[in-house]
Amino acid sequence: MEEKVRESNFIHNIIDKDLENQKYGDKVYTRFPPEPNGYLHIGHAKSICLNFSTAAKYGGKCNLRYDDTNPVKEDVEYIDSIEADVRWLGFTWDERLWASNYFDTMYEAAVELIKQGKAYICDLTAEEIKEYRGTLTEPGKESPYRNRSIEENLAMFEDMKAGKYADGEKVLRAKIDMASPNINMRDPIIYRVAHATHHNTGDKWCIYPMYDFAHPIEDAIEGITHSICTLEFEDHRPLYDWVLENVGWWPAPPQQIEFARLNLTNTVMSKRYLKALVEDGVVDGWDDPRMPTIAGIRRRGYTPEAVRDFCERIGVAKANSTVDIGLLEHCVREDLKEKVESRNVVVNPIKVVITNYPEGQIEMLPTENNGNNEELGSREIPFGREIYVDGDDFMEEPVKKYFRLFPGNEVRLKAAYFITCNEVIKNEDGSIKELHCTYDPETKSGSGFTGRKVKGTIHFVEATTAVPIKIRQFDYLMVDGGEDGKMVANPDSLHEIDAFAEPLVADAKVGERFQFFRHGYYTPDSKLYSEDNKVFNEIVNLKSSWKPEK
Ligand code: ATP
Ligand code: MG
């Protein structure tokens, strides 16, 4: 399938200008910088699509860089998942890099600032630093340690590195402006002591750079030209620029550009919250099909094409907003509509006996695989004296405008014959045991029969060859109704239903997708599906609640 021509956005407009002015020559270099502390989610997908497709649009490069300057325990599990997710989305990084590989340069950069009198060691406690920082309306107060000599600062920084101080005892701060209206510029901490083993550098360091100091240096070292991040970093941009300008080692320093993060209705995207859902057993893992993680979306059966299409459609804006999750579902439907074959599956089955059909006879009837795409060809489905129809396709006492099966009514069985319901046979408890119908051999599908028309068409599964399967339907994991407009976990978001499928469904393999005719799109669950336990996940139903804006 051909991808649409990428539309421009405000970031591309900036890049166009930079290319015109040869700010970075002809270079466009971006990066996706995840912290390896959780699984990626649909919000990250937006950032991935933006960074990788921007590089691709301009013939540039995009790195995958792990932002691992924080020596908290990172997990190989997360690293593996991040790489699998980026690849699944269809992107390949130019280089895979670790921010922690730049610790030496970052240390040197800090020494450089000290030598220029632009950084100092501060002994204030974390609480005091907070107190001294001031507020949005009041300027901060200068630290009593602000005017230490360069020599003393250099010696102390070396002692910090040598492990002479405990966590929190001393920090290195940039000497900027305690009266700045931007609180981020009020002598921000750039290095702290943390006696922790780092997954990559082990025990080499007991001081670690802060994000706002490390990130611009990481970008500069890699020759990134456009450092794209989310809006909450907008107020940090002056510090980003300050670091690069004052360290001064890079003639064409990268520029930070912020865009609005993706928010979705019925969706929480904080890694911390998602982790809690996993740990509390609310879901069966990071890849639960109800999770907004890329792993969950993949297991659910969404396609990378649909996710990329979604990221393209929502565009890139400078103002925060919340996107209707219906749009994502719409993109999935659009992508699958012409791609997948259909199969007959009935739920809440009702048995139908065709009383005038020869006993023991089974005939194979051709039926199209996809009504929207002839190229997908046709298959044969069995038909016989006993079939199942969907519980929803029969009403003993029909409501108005009900054109499906009811006593006395005739309907078309898709790809088979017209049948008329003559009798409802009940169990002792009053429930329906089976329906007795007759068929009209003249009405065989494809025979060109034009004798009379019927209003309803339903589908069926032949009874003796029916394959029992389970289908899992999902409601949103998160619903409105919490305090302060917050969402809460939906206690009833998973429904497993028994169903009967046509015989071909027995051959379904993990990774395949189908339309279960008139029900929705389904895929075998990659974790639960087996020969004896044919569990299918609902990818998306057929009905769209989402309407394009007029
Ligand atoms: P979370 O808040 O969920 O833990 P994070 O921002 O801490 O996410 P990172 O691993 O630091 O996660 O994110 C990597 C990149 O993905 C960053 O550039 C970040 O801005 C971007 N990103 C994260 N969440 C979203 C989102 N909802 N929409 C767009 N981009 C996002
Ligand atoms: Mg982050």
Side-chain angles (χ1 to χ4, degrees):
M1 205 174 56
E2 257 182 62
E3 302 238 349
K4 286 189 305 175
V5 176
R6 299 201 171 278
E7 281 172 32
S8 207
N9 59 48
F10 82 93
I11 295 180
H12 294 172
N13 296 343
I14 293 174
I15 295 175
D16 289 338
K17 272 241 164 62
D18 290 345
L19 287 170
E20 210 181 292
N21 300 331
Q22 290 282 293
K23 185 168 178 183
Y24 306 103
D26 292 326
K27 222 173 96 176
V28 176
Y29 213 154
T30 60
R31 85 287 172 263
F32 174 65
E35 220 177 309
N37 61 353
Y39 278 63
L40 299 181
H41 51 60
I42 181 77
H44 293 115
K46 178 176 180 182
S47 173
I48 291 168
C49 288
L50 179 57
N51 278 295
F52 282 93
S53 63
T54 295
K57 172 174 173 174
Y58 292 97
K61 290 182 174 180
C62 182
N63 289 343
L64 172 63
R65 181 207 308 146
Y66 292 109
D67 215 327
D68 62 344
T69 51
N70 197 341
V72 291
K73 242 180 75 186
E74 273 108 7
D75 212 313
V76 207
E77 183 194 349
Y78 297 139
I79 288 163
D80 290 346
S81 79
I82 287 169
E83 293 179 14
D85 291 348
V86 175
R87 283 204 196 91
W88 180 77
L89 279 171
F91 300 107
T92 322
W93 46 90
D94 283 277
E95 290 186 81
R96 187 191 61 169
L97 301 159
W98 302 84
S100 55
N101 285 349
Y102 314 137
F103 280 162
D104 285 310
T105 310
M106 290 173 190
Y107 179 80
E108 291 307 323
V111 170
E112 172 68 32
L113 290 178
I114 297 173
K115 283 183 178 162
Q116 293 180 32
K118 289 173 181 163
Y120 63 96
I121 304 286
C122 183
D123 299 5
L124 293 179
T125 64
E127 246 161 55
E128 288 166 331
I129 288 178
K130 209 168 145 199
E131 236 179 80
Y132 276 61
R133 194 178 295 140
T135 64
L136 282 173
T137 47
E138 283 168 59
K141 239 179 10 184
E142 291 188 353
S143 159
Y145 306 100
R146 199 171 199 259
N147 295 314
R148 276 184 162 138
S149 71
I150 290 173
E151 289 67 36
E152 193 181 0
N153 281 319
L154 283 172
M156 281 184 159
F157 192 46
E158 231 182 283
D159 285 348
M160 252 173 88
K161 181 187 176 212
K164 295 208 177 144
Y165 305 116
D167 290 9
E169 202 177 327
K170 286 190 179 2
V171 291
L172 182 70
R173 298 177 70 175
K175 195 192 256 187
I176 309 180
D177 179 6
M178 288 309 291
S180 170
N182 183 339
I183 294 184
N184 294 301
M185 299 298 273
R186 295 183 188 168
D187 291 9
I189 299 172
I190 58 176
Y191 255 96
R192 68 198 166 111
V193 179
H195 291 270
T197 303
H198 187 280
H199 77 103
N200 181 24
T201 56
D203 293 320
K204 176 173 175 192
W205 298 92
C206 62
I207 55 172
Y208 291 94
M210 302 301 286
Y211 178 90
D212 283 339
F213 176 69
H215 206 85
I217 294 177
E218 294 159 26
D219 287 339
I221 290 172
E222 291 176 15
I224 301 302
T225 55
H226 300 84
S227 177
I228 302 170
C229 67
T230 40
L231 219 51
E232 66 272 23
F233 290 101
E234 192 170 22
D235 289 345
H236 298 239
R237 188 176 355 122
L239 181 52
Y240 182 100
D241 292 338
W242 184 94
V243 169
L244 294 177
E245 192 186 319
N246 286 281
V247 173
W249 294 342
W250 299 280
Q255 63 178 309
Q256 176 181 303
I257 306 171
E258 310 86 17
F259 71 101
R261 67 168 44 230
L262 171 66
N263 298 305
L264 271 181
T265 55
N266 293 96
T267 310
V268 171
M269 279 184 238
S270 119
K271 277 186 217 158
R272 194 145 36 96
Y273 188 86
L274 296 177
K275 196 172 187 173
L277 289 176
V278 173
E279 281 167 2
D280 298 346
V282 177
V283 293
D284 86 349
W286 284 95
D287 65 350
D288 186 290
R290 293 164 291 175
M291 290 279 271
T293 52
I294 298 178
I297 283 172
R298 178 165 59 227
R299 183 170 161 200
R300 175 81 177 250
Y302 284 18
T303 58
E305 291 85 351
V307 177
R308 289 203 302 268
D309 179 33
F310 170 72
C311 291
E312 186 71 28
R313 288 188 200 215
I314 54 178
V316 185
K318 196 77 192 165
N320 281 316
S321 67
T322 299
V323 176
D324 186 341
I325 193 163
L327 176 59
L328 176 58
E329 295 163 355
H330 174 76
C331 292
V332 176
R333 258 182 229 112
E334 284 291 297
D335 184 45
L336 297 180
K337 199 167 70 184
E338 294 181 7
K339 262 191 192 169
V340 304
E341 295 188 6
S342 114
R343 297 286 183 265
N344 278 3
V345 168
V346 296
V347 301
N348 305 317
I350 298 180
K351 184 178 263 186
V352 173
V353 181
I354 318 271
T355 51
N356 60 339
Y357 193 87
E359 235 164 294
Q361 177 175 313
I362 298 281
E363 64 180 308
M364 297 303 289
L365 300 171
T367 187
E368 62 196 354
N369 281 328
N370 183 319
N372 295 308
N373 183 0
E374 270 183 29
E375 280 174 28
L376 292 185
S378 62
R379 67 186 188 285
E380 293 195 322
I381 51 172
F383 180 75
R385 184 180 160 90
E386 294 196 349
I387 61 173
Y388 292 113
V389 299
D390 222 88
D392 278 350
D393 285 339
F394 174 77
M395 280 187 108
E396 196 167 4
E397 286 168 33
V399 293
K400 251 194 181 161
K401 300 225 169 145
Y402 189 82
F403 299 123
R404 290 172 263 172
L405 210 52
F406 55 85
N409 193 40
E410 187 174 44
V411 297
R412 177 201 310 272
L413 289 178
K414 174 112 173 31
Y417 300 93
F418 289 10
I419 60 167
T420 304
C421 178
N422 304 309
E423 204 180 343
V424 183
I425 312 293
K426 300 275 179 75
N427 294 307
E428 268 176 24
D429 65 1
S431 60
I432 295 172
K433 179 168 179 258
E434 58 193 33
L435 307 177
H436 285 184
C437 297
T438 45
Y439 86 118
D440 177 355
E442 300 288 306
T443 59
K444 186 167 179 171
S445 174
S447 68
F449 175 79
T450 52
R452 60 185 181 278
K453 290 208 156 49
V454 288
K455 276 194 168 156
T457 298
I458 65 174
H459 68 284
F460 66 94
V461 168
E462 195 277 325
T464 63
T465 52
V467 179
I469 64 169
K470 291 195 178 93
I471 65 179
R472 303 209 298 168
Q473 296 179 337
F474 307 105
D475 278 333
Y476 296 121
L477 187 57
M478 302 302 300
V479 286
D480 293 331
E483 284 168 31
D484 316 326
K486 283 206 176 116
M487 286 181 263
V488 291
N490 176 359
D492 195 25
S493 54
L494 170 65
H495 307 270
E496 198 170 283
I497 307 168
D498 290 317
F500 283 129
E502 64 170 274
L504 262 187
V505 171
D507 301 335
K509 293 185 184 53
V510 167
E512 291 182 330
R513 300 177 180 87
F514 304 95
Q515 186 193 120
F516 286 171
F517 189 60
R518 298 173 64 221
H519 283 291
Y521 294 99
Y522 283 84
T523 191
D525 184 274
S526 57
K527 264 192 183 163
L528 305 173
Y529 188 82
S530 72
E531 199 48 43
D532 310 320
N533 189 30
K534 298 192 181 300
V535 185
F536 288 81
N537 292 331
E538 176 188 64
I539 304 170
V540 67
N541 60 19
L542 294 178
K543 279 196 207 81
S544 177
S545 61
W546 181 82
K547 296 261 162 14
E549 277 172 44
K550 291 234 174 83

